[in-house]
Amino acid sequence: MSIRLAVVDGHPLTRYGLAGLVAEHDDIEIVAEWGSVAAARAIVDVRPTVVTIDVDLPDGDGLRLARECRDRDPDLGIVVLTSSARDDILFRALDSGVSAFVEKTAPMAEVLGAIRHASVAATSFTATGLLHALTRKRDAETRFALSPREHEVLLLLRDGLSVPAIARSTYVSPSTAKTYVARLYEKLGANNRAQALMTALRHGLIRHDELPAVI
């Protein structure tokens, strides 16, 4: 029985390339192609074995769509295809419950391997760069070495609290709270809240879905 593959990608050239790749292999057939999150809602009617989803779609977040697909169907194979293999995106994909994470520039054998893996092990995550990403995350945690208090302040900054509000939340004086924030900025090599949060995001100290809509 062949793998029923659906493709969600905003770039027609990517969809065309996947169709050409799959056409050479009898065990995979493309049953649907969509270029947006809205169009991909039809996945419930098509019921593919595996779906490939681009991270950046014209009308929404591909990883949020992946999370919705996983919540709706635990047996669906989900392969994230991305042009950006940043560690924070990889960890978001892992948190979203996808089956595989592959760069669009990966060898054809790797893309096909990810699709086949997803068809038989939907809830088992695979990514070529996962081990290195985890190593970099551990190295970042060691390098930044945030104290429990500094990590608490980072989370409060993430939540949008001002320095006076941080002082009230942590039961310290405003001057002490200001010192905590300054020390955190220094460790992260940041000059302001936005830089601190983006550095923390890149190095896995906080997750993308924890960030406010506007930093």
Side-chain angles (χ1 to χ4, degrees), residues 7-12 15 33-40 56-60:
V7 179
V8 186
D9 198 293
H11 299 91
R15 300 199 301 272
E33 296 181 27
W34 301 295
S36 66
V37 171
D56 298 310
L57 294 168
D59 61 342

Side-chain angles (χ1 to χ4, degrees), residues 10-138:
H11 299 91
L13 190 58
T14 300
R15 300 199 301 272
Y16 177 81
L18 271 175
L21 175 62
V22 167
E24 300 176 3
H25 299 270
D26 294 336
D27 63 325
I28 307 173
E29 63 169 329
I30 292 183
V31 295
E33 296 181 27
W34 301 295
S36 66
V37 171
R41 303 296 183 198
I43 194 171
V44 295
D45 301 315
V46 175
R47 299 191 63 79
T49 313
V50 176
V51 58
T52 65
I53 301 177
D54 188 11
V55 172
D56 298 310
L57 294 168
D59 61 342
D61 184 343
L63 290 178
R64 185 168 297 172
L65 173 63
R67 178 75 263 177
E68 293 173 3
C69 289
R70 171 58 68 236
D71 290 342
R72 185 168 52 242
D73 186 352
D75 297 322
L76 175 65
I78 304 172
V79 177
V80 168
L81 287 178
T82 178
S83 56
S84 178
R86 297 199 322 261
D87 289 354
D88 58 299
I89 297 178
L90 189 154
F91 289 128
R92 278 190 66 208
L94 176 60
D95 290 341
S96 297
V98 307
S99 315
F101 179 90
V102 186
E103 289 186 68
K104 290 185 176 181
T105 56
M108 291 184 292
E110 185 175 333
V111 176
L112 291 169
I115 293 170
R116 290 173 177 137
H117 163 85
S119 72
V120 297
T123 58
S124 174
F125 182 77
T126 182
T128 299
L130 180 59
L131 180 59
H132 292 305
L134 289 170
T135 299
R136 286 190 292 270
K137 183 178 180 181
R138 285 194 295 268

Side-chain angles (χ1 to χ4, degrees), residues 146 150-158 184 197 200 205-206:
L146 300 185
E150 289 165 346
H151 189 260
E152 180 184 9
V153 169
L154 174 62
L155 297 183
L156 293 172
L157 287 171
R158 173 206 67 188
L184 176 65
L197 292 178
L205 301 177
I206 56 176

